[in-house]
Amino acid sequence: MYQAKVYVDFDEMGVLGRVTSQFSEPFDVPEEEVHDDGTISFVVDTRGHRDTFVETFLAAHEVSNVEVVDEDLVLVRKTARGASVVIRENHGKLRGVDSVHGTKRVFEVLLLRREDLSPMIAGLRELGEVTLGSIVDLTRTGRVLSERQHAAVSAALDIGYFQWPRDGDAEDLADELGVTRATALEHLRKAEKRVLEETLEDQTDQSVTETTRDLSPISSER
């Protein structure tokens, strides 16, 4: 499993870009999830500009739901398109913490296989200029995951559970593992959680490939 940091400068500006472009600094997106119905939910930290964000979201045709979480956090559900679809089509999962400012976006993505990285980057380059900031090889994954968790991840990959749209669903995963649907999803969630925790604790000990962090024409050729 790999963790990649990807910098994108989009050709077109989405609803997050439109609202954040009004300010001088980027905003954090601490949580986001792509759903099977073709929508994406995300939480954005508005940093004191909640009303402006909510007004922009409510006026956007692609947004289906807006919920105020607290003074700064706003939960949004909208049509999934662009980068989120490309990432999921290539078996990637948004780690949940990234930032956005106008057309510029920073994504942290988990990938089960390194070979999925190239087509993911190619797909993103159809949307704008792309720079790969880093790749972290999670070399300790085999020791982090239990046998059942490793089996769940492997089976999910084999049946196309991480594809977009999915070739196999939770029921197929349960059948493959010979367990109940709830147990299969529990193993998968625990595996994901353990890898993320290990990455955060030991990232300085991993093998990290760093490239330039600016969105330069050389690194972002399409």
Side-chain angles (χ1 to χ4, degrees):
M1 188 174 285
Y2 298 85
Q3 178 178 298
K5 179 171 284 189
V6 183
Y7 299 78
V8 184
D9 191 354
F10 290 106
D11 294 334
E12 297 182 3
M13 197 179 295
V15 63
L16 263 177
R18 294 196 298 272
V19 66
T20 58
S21 65
Q22 301 176 48
F23 306 96
S24 60
E25 296 180 347
F27 291 80
D28 291 333
V29 181
E31 296 181 24
E32 53 194 317
E33 180 181 1
V34 180
H35 305 288
D36 291 340
D37 64 356
T39 63
I40 182 171
S41 296
F42 62 84
V43 173
V44 57
D45 185 349
T46 65
R47 294 170 47 201
H49 303 287
R50 188 187 67 188
D51 292 345
T52 300
F53 275 72
V54 170
E55 181 180 352
T56 302
F57 291 144
L58 290 174
H61 66 85
E62 66 266 39
V63 173
S64 57
N65 187 62
V66 179
E67 180 181 334
V68 174
V69 179
D70 60 24
E71 291 185 359
D72 292 315
L73 299 180
V74 176
L75 172 64
V76 178
R77 188 157 185 159
K78 63 179 287 291
T79 303
R81 61 185 183 89
S84 61
V85 174
V86 170
I87 290 169
R88 184 160 178 174
E89 283 178 340
N90 291 282
H91 316 298
K93 180 174 176 59
L94 294 167
R95 211 194 74 175
V97 180
D98 58 52
S99 61
V100 56
H101 186 222
T103 59
K104 300 182 186 299
R105 189 81 182 261
V106 182
F107 294 102
E108 296 225 357
V109 183
L110 285 179
L111 294 158
L112 290 176
R113 304 176 302 190
R114 189 183 181 97
E115 55 263 36
D116 291 323
L117 181 61
S118 292
M120 185 188 76
I121 295 297
L124 291 173
R125 283 179 174 156
E126 295 296 319
L127 307 174
E129 299 180 349
V130 180
T131 298
L132 179 61
S134 65
I135 309 171
V136 179
D137 183 359
L138 304 180
T139 54
R140 295 182 60 185
T141 299
R143 298 202 299 269
V144 171
L145 300 184
S146 70
E147 183 177 345
R148 289 181 178 179
Q149 291 163 0
H150 189 275
V153 172
S154 297
L157 181 60
D158 289 340
I159 67 172
Y161 182 85
F162 295 104
Q163 292 183 9
W164 178 257
R166 283 177 175 162
D167 286 342
D169 59 16
E171 296 294 342
D172 296 321
L173 179 61
D175 290 341
E176 187 77 11
L177 296 173
V179 298
T180 65
R181 179 181 184 276
T183 299
L185 290 176
E186 180 183 8
H187 290 330
L188 204 56
R189 283 192 291 265
K190 285 184 176 179
E192 205 169 79
K193 181 174 183 289
R194 292 190 69 177
V195 169
L196 287 173
E197 289 174 343
E198 189 73 12
T199 303
L200 291 174
E201 291 174 2
D202 299 326
Q203 186 166 351
T204 56
D205 296 328
Q206 305 298 329
S207 173
V208 182
T209 301
E210 292 286 352
T211 62
T212 179
R213 294 195 172 190
D214 62 0
L215 295 169
S216 63
I218 295 177
S219 61
S220 58
E221 287 183 358
R222 283 182 256 173

